[in-house]
Amino acid sequence: MNTTRTATWSVSRPMIGALMALSVALLLLAGQARAELDAFYGSYAGSADVMALDGSKIPRDMSVVISGTKTGFQVQWTSVTYRSDGRTTEKSYTIDFVPSDREAVYAAAQKKNVFGHEVQLDPMKGEPYVWARVSRQTLTVYSLFVGADGGYSLQQYDRTLTEGGLQLRFQTIRDGAIQRAVETFLTKS
């Protein structure tokens, strides 16, 4: 004798209501996080004198563009360093960020895996591990490098919303010691 059992799900009206309320709450949270990010969107530029290890000051121009993407946001920044011998050095970076499983914490989407999904780089291969967070009026981007000897270097960019632009605080920490710190105002254009 062959008996087949069929599982049935019984969903009550209160359960449906609770599921709908949960869905609405999640959508509101996602919208709130998006609104917090929207406040940062724009183009900003400024200058600062960076203190070199020998105590001299090196002028640097800095700019950043923060914009939305389909799945998160993008940060593009450039710094131009002016050396006393007349040389200039320009460095530019662009990183897309996507929401993580943690509220207000975003993972960098720096490369695609074999399935076409954007994933983090591998710090054990000398690549930077990058993430961002939003805390109150500050968008912070962290970039962690693991050296060949196992030591680390952490770069931290705090961009705080203020009237007319962003207050930028950048620092590099190597094996627990601050190597460089820069603070300047970036004007919104």
Side-chain angles (χ1 to χ4, degrees), residues 23-76:
S23 296
V24 169
L26 290 173
L27 286 173
L28 288 173
L29 282 174
Q32 180 181 358
R34 189 67 170 189
E36 286 177 359
L37 282 171
D38 287 353
F40 291 95
Y41 295 168
S43 298
Y44 307 86
S47 298
D49 287 330
V50 178
M51 189 71 69
L53 293 175
D54 65 3
S56 64
K57 292 183 179 179
I58 302 169
R60 183 178 290 184
D61 290 337
M62 293 169 270
S63 63
V64 63
V65 176
I66 303 170
S67 58
T69 64
K70 278 195 227 180
T71 57
F73 66 99
Q74 182 180 80
V75 179
Q76 299 173 294

Side-chain angles (χ1 to χ4, degrees), residues 42 44 60-67 73-81 83 89-97 108-110 121 126-130 141-145 153 155-157 159 168 170 172 180:
Y44 307 86
R60 183 178 290 184
D61 290 337
M62 293 169 270
S63 63
V64 63
V65 176
I66 303 170
S67 58
F73 66 99
Q74 182 180 80
V75 179
Q76 299 173 294
W77 70 98
T78 299
S79 68
V80 180
T81 304
R83 306 280 178 200
T89 306
E90 182 173 324
K91 294 181 180 178
S92 294
Y93 304 91
T94 300
I95 300 178
D96 289 345
F97 293 93
Q110 294 174 279
L121 297 178
E127 301 169 331
Y129 187 82
V130 181
V141 174
Y142 299 95
S143 183
L144 175 68
F145 297 86
S153 176
Q155 294 179 344
Q156 179 176 337
Y157 297 83
R159 295 176 176 102
L168 170 67
F170 165 78
T172 299
R180 178 178 300 142

